Amino acid sequence: KNPKIDTWRRKYEETLEAYAELDDKKKIESLPPLCHTCHVARPLRSKHCRVNRKCVLVFDHYCPFVDNTVGLYNYRYFYFFLMTTTFALCTFVITLIIYSRRYKAEYSSLPWITLLLGLEVGICLLPVAGMLMYHTQLTMVNLTTNEHMNVRKYKYLFPTVNGHRRYRNPWFKGWMGNMMDRMQPSDACYIIPKEHEPLQSSMNSS
């Protein structure tokens, strides 16, 4: 249980009361988004997972291969899972090539059954390595899969500046800072930094 869940549930009740009392459209739009399933006021970057039926901080995606939702606190384990699986498949392919060459040198033929079975395993390297490259790119710019696929949907990534919507990532800290941010999860991963507070005000007024 997240220690801040009680705060978000209290904020949910307060926001519901504010909806009933406010009639100013701009003030209403500045209120935090609510999840009526979990009864919480959702922090930025969070989303309700329809598979696990709960809100997830810094929601990335639901992964059927690990049978879990990837979010703030387990993203680094998912990333390491991709790294180790890619490394294991690379070593498997290299071992298969070395074995085939030695087999051919000794028997003057190729171990076709072994090669076919090995090819079936080795072909998994392509999607896994592709996923690793994709998530490396996301990590270096401090975006989640959900944000990348719906980037224009979120006002905190596409606020209105001087009458035009422009891409601004308030959590961008340089590629090394972004990597550390994703590998060392904290509240700073979803709370807009103070230097970007004017950005938040423009987001609320858009």
Side-chain angles (χ1 to χ4, degrees):
K1 180 181 178 180
N2 193 295
K4 291 194 173 184
I5 190 69
D6 292 331
T7 301
W8 296 328
R9 284 176 177 164
R10 185 170 60 253
K11 187 69 174 177
Y12 173 84
E13 299 296 336
E14 293 173 353
T15 305
L16 282 180
E17 293 177 2
Y19 271 112
E21 296 173 358
L22 292 175
D23 55 2
D24 189 327
K25 184 179 178 181
K26 289 186 177 181
K27 289 183 178 180
I28 290 176
E29 289 179 349
S30 68
L31 294 174
L34 304 179
C35 177
H36 299 297
T37 303
C38 300
H39 296 100
V40 296
R42 290 190 286 108
L44 295 177
R45 311 188 83 183
S46 63
K47 184 180 179 182
H48 185 85
C49 177
R50 290 178 291 181
V51 180
N52 281 336
R53 300 179 181 178
K54 60 180 69 175
C55 286
V56 179
L57 280 171
V58 192
F59 176 88
D60 194 273
H61 71 287
Y62 176 80
C63 180
F65 300 106
V66 298
D67 191 27
N68 201 2
T69 306
V70 180
L72 176 64
Y73 293 108
N74 65 351
Y75 182 81
R76 55 182 171 182
Y77 303 116
F78 174 75
Y79 187 79
F80 292 146
F81 164 72
L82 292 178
M83 283 184 62
T84 53
T85 304
T86 300
F87 177 76
L89 288 170
C90 284
T91 54
F92 174 82
V93 171
I94 293 172
T95 303
L96 181 64
I97 293 173
I98 294 173
Y99 170 78
S100 299
R101 286 183 174 180
R102 291 181 177 178
Y103 187 94
K104 184 178 181 180
E106 185 172 349
Y107 299 102
S108 300
S109 66
L110 290 172
W112 292 109
I113 295 178
T114 302
L115 278 176
L116 290 175
L117 292 174
L119 180 63
E120 184 178 1
V121 176
I123 203 169
C124 296
L125 175 63
L126 297 177
V128 176
M131 283 285 288
L132 177 61
M133 291 174 62
Y134 174 65
H135 279 277
T136 299
Q137 291 176 330
L138 289 180
T139 301
M140 292 177 68
V141 295
N142 210 338
L143 285 177
T144 65
T145 301
N146 175 57
E147 289 171 337
H148 182 246
M149 295 180 67
N150 304 283
V151 66
R152 290 184 176 272
K153 174 182 176 181
Y154 298 108
K155 290 185 178 181
Y156 58 80
L157 290 176
F158 255 88
T160 301
V161 180
N162 297 326
H164 300 281
R165 293 193 70 190
R166 300 180 185 276
Y167 173 77
R168 299 279 181 85
N169 187 349
W171 294 281
F172 186 83
K173 303 172 183 176
W175 69 269
M176 181 59 75
N178 294 335
M179 184 73 73
M180 296 299 293
D181 210 36
R182 298 310 303 274
M183 297 302 125
Q184 296 180 331
S186 67
D187 294 349
C189 295
Y190 58 87
I191 296 176
I192 291 184
K194 290 183 178 180
E195 60 269 23
H196 288 283
E197 285 180 352
L199 184 67
Q200 185 175 23
S201 61
S202 68
M203 174 188 74
N204 293 336
S205 61
S206 61

